[in-house]
């Protein structure tokens, strides 16, 4: 079956750097996505990694190691508005060609002034 | 360029009733997926529609059904509502079937359903 593990909560101060880890178990792995969701809001797509390595988009970077079944989201120069839930989602072929992403339970990021 | 829209925003129903939720995908998108998100959990995949057909289904009972219209909009129907169906129902749109499905999805604001 599929499983994803990510910390339930991470706290940091404004201006700092924070890393949110995600480990997964699945078959037919295609890629790992990250989404941000503010309270009461819609999940917003942040990044997608299909190959090993680091993808950088502004203050956010995402990393993937397929051999370790591991990825992380790195947020730099934290701002108060970054306080939100962050979900990793595995896109795989576990259901015979579904390509449907399976979401983790999310990490609540709390940024303090 | 309109993003994904959903209606209604909030809904209160009683056990045993039926509900219909609606979704209009982002302009240019032809694939719609529905998710259920319970409080404190990640979105759980219900099903996906592409070319007016259900292409993939998650682990949800037959009480959950859907439809996609020629203009790519979609409906989610839930019959015989249970208390446990209370959740945020999210619609996500993307472009293209096949291997591109689920790669980059744009979510709507959701419909918050409360079953009493």
């Amino acid at each position: 079956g599929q499983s994803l593990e990510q910390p339930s909560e991470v706290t940091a101060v404004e201006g700092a750097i924070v890393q949110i880890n995600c480990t997964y178990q699945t078959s037919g792995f295609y890629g790992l996505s990250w989404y941000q969701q503010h309270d009461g809001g819609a999940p917003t797509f942040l990044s997608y990694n299909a190959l090993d390595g680091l993808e950088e988009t502004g203050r956010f970077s995402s990393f993937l190691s397929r051999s370790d079944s591991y990825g992380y989201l790195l947020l730099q120069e934290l701002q108060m508005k970054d306080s939100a839930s962050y979900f990793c989602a595995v896109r795989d072929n576990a259901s015979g060609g579904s390509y449907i992403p399976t979401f983790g339970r999310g990490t609540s990021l709390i940024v303090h002034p | 360029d309109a993003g994904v829209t959903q209606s209604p925003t909030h809904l209160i129903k009683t056990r045993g009733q039926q509900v219909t939720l609606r979704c209009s995908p982002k302009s240019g998108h032809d694939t719609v997926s529905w998710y259920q998100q319970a409080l404190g959990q990640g979105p759980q995949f219900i099903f996906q529609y592409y070319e007016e057909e259900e292409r993939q289904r998650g682990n949800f009972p037959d009480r959950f059904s859907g439809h996609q219209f020629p203009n790519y909009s979609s409906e989610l129907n839930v019959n015989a509502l249970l208390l446990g169906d209370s959740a945020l129902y999210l619609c996500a749109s993307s472009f293209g079937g096949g291997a591109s499905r689920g790669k980059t999805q744009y979510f709507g604001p959701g419909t918050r359903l409360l079953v009493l």
Side-chain angles (χ1 to χ4, degrees):
Chain A
Q2 303 159 307
S3 71
L4 293 97
E5 294 290 332
Q6 53 182 129
S8 59
E9 185 177 294
V10 173
T11 60
V13 296
E14 212 172 1
I17 299 173
V18 72
Q19 178 174 314
I20 299 174
N21 299 319
C22 175
T23 58
Y24 59 87
Q25 286 186 318
T26 187
S27 58
F29 176 84
Y30 283 107
L32 186 71
S33 302
W34 287 93
Y35 289 81
Q36 177 194 60
Q37 186 178 32
H38 287 98
D39 276 348
T44 303
F45 173 81
L46 293 177
S47 67
Y48 177 78
N49 294 65
L51 302 176
D52 287 354
L54 190 68
E55 296 276 346
E56 298 181 62
T57 308
R59 294 188 298 115
F60 294 3
S61 302
S62 57
F63 172 82
L64 175 66
S65 170
R66 295 174 66 116
S67 60
D68 295 324
S69 298
Y70 163 76
Y72 66 73
L73 180 69
L74 190 73
L75 297 86
Q76 302 179 331
E77 301 173 18
L78 280 174
Q79 302 175 8
M80 297 295 291
K81 68 178 182 179
D82 297 329
S83 293
S85 292
Y86 292 84
F87 295 91
C88 60
V90 167
R91 185 165 166 262
D92 61 21
N93 195 26
S95 302
S98 69
Y99 307 103
I100 302 302
T102 299
F103 286 78
R105 296 181 62 148
T107 297
S108 177
L109 171 63
I110 301 170
V111 180
H112 295 288
Chain B
D1 178 23
V4 180
T5 60
Q6 293 186 243
S7 63
T9 56
H10 294 81
L11 205 52
I12 300 175
K13 292 286 188 179
T14 57
R15 279 183 302 174
Q17 284 190 310
Q18 178 264 343
V19 68
T20 297
L21 311 181
R22 296 177 176 81
C23 170
S24 290
K26 180 178 169 63
S27 178
H29 285 185
D30 58 6
T31 303
V32 173
S33 302
W34 286 93
Y35 292 82
Q36 179 194 67
Q37 186 177 23
L39 201 61
Q41 304 290 320
Q44 298 296 309
F45 174 73
I46 303 175
F47 43 54
Q48 183 182 78
Y49 278 85
Y50 173 66
E51 293 184 334
E52 300 181 50
E53 290 189 15
E54 183 182 294
R55 297 292 178 167
Q56 199 69 33
R57 188 178 184 92
N59 190 24
F60 279 80
D62 291 345
R63 297 187 298 110
F64 290 76
S65 63
H67 187 78
Q68 186 179 36
F69 300 93
N71 66 353
Y72 308 119
S73 66
S74 176
E75 287 182 350
L76 164 65
N77 300 290
V78 186
N79 294 322
L81 283 167
L82 304 174
L83 297 180
D85 294 331
S86 295
L88 179 67
Y89 287 85
L90 294 162
C91 167
S93 75
S94 55
F95 174 76
S100 65
R101 291 204 308 265
K103 184 176 180 180
T104 304
Q105 296 184 102
Y106 293 83
F107 282 84
T111 294
R112 192 163 295 280
L113 172 65
L114 177 61
V115 182
L116 300 176

